[in-house]
Amino acid sequence: MTRAAHHVVIIGFEQAALLGIACVSDTLDVASQQGADPRFDVRLASLRGRPVRGTSGLSLLGGTPVERVRDPIATLVVAGGTGHLDAAGNTEPVRHVRRLAHQWPSGLGVHRRVGAHRGGTAGRATGGHAPGDRP
């Protein structure tokens, strides 16, 4: 009996580490292909659905506008990269990470995990600090 998908949202921003996004999404995709139950449904989100331009200058397309993410999600990952300090200092991405990280059963859904891949945006948004983050 297959259970409903485990919804994962990866939030990318300007100067994100594209390898961090790809590693998470590809690992979960392989797990789904190998029979993970529930399977992983992974989406990339960004401000206004813009392409996520990495530190190398390459971009990932097809992002969901983070402003429109409303579905219950089980795991939220914030990409790292050299732009994490700019993102953490900008109220808009922090507001959306905070909104998604604090979903409760009486609201939009239940969050089981929130993580940052080498960055402080998730830590600041959730009231703590990500590993390696300096207050």
Side-chain angles (χ1 to χ4, degrees):
M1 177 178 180
T2 302
R3 296 181 286 172
H6 182 96
H7 297 285
V8 179
V9 173
I10 302 171
I11 298 178
F13 49 85
E14 189 75 17
Q15 298 297 302
L18 300 184
L19 183 59
I21 294 170
C23 285
V24 171
S25 65
D26 284 356
T27 298
L28 297 177
D29 182 56
V30 168
S32 292
Q33 291 176 29
Q34 296 295 318
D37 185 21
R39 67 179 180 72
F40 294 95
D41 173 36
V42 182
R43 285 189 284 166
L44 174 63
S46 63
L47 289 175
R48 289 174 279 298
R50 292 184 200 144
V52 176
R53 186 170 47 166
T55 55
S56 66
L58 297 176
S59 297
L60 292 176
L61 303 176
T64 299
V66 70
E67 301 85 351
R68 294 187 186 159
V69 175
R70 300 275 187 253
D71 302 335
I73 55 178
T75 302
L76 176 65
V77 177
V78 180
T82 59
H84 81 273
L85 292 176
D86 289 336
N90 182 334
T91 60
E92 189 176 13
V94 171
R95 183 178 73 240
H96 291 295
V97 170
R98 182 175 288 133
R99 174 180 61 82
L100 294 171
H102 291 286
Q103 293 176 349
W104 297 102
S106 61
L108 299 173
V110 178
H111 245 333
R112 284 179 240 183
R113 290 176 276 279
V114 177
H117 185 267
R118 181 69 176 89
T121 307
R124 285 186 178 85
T126 58
H129 297 285
D133 188 22
R134 293 189 179 161

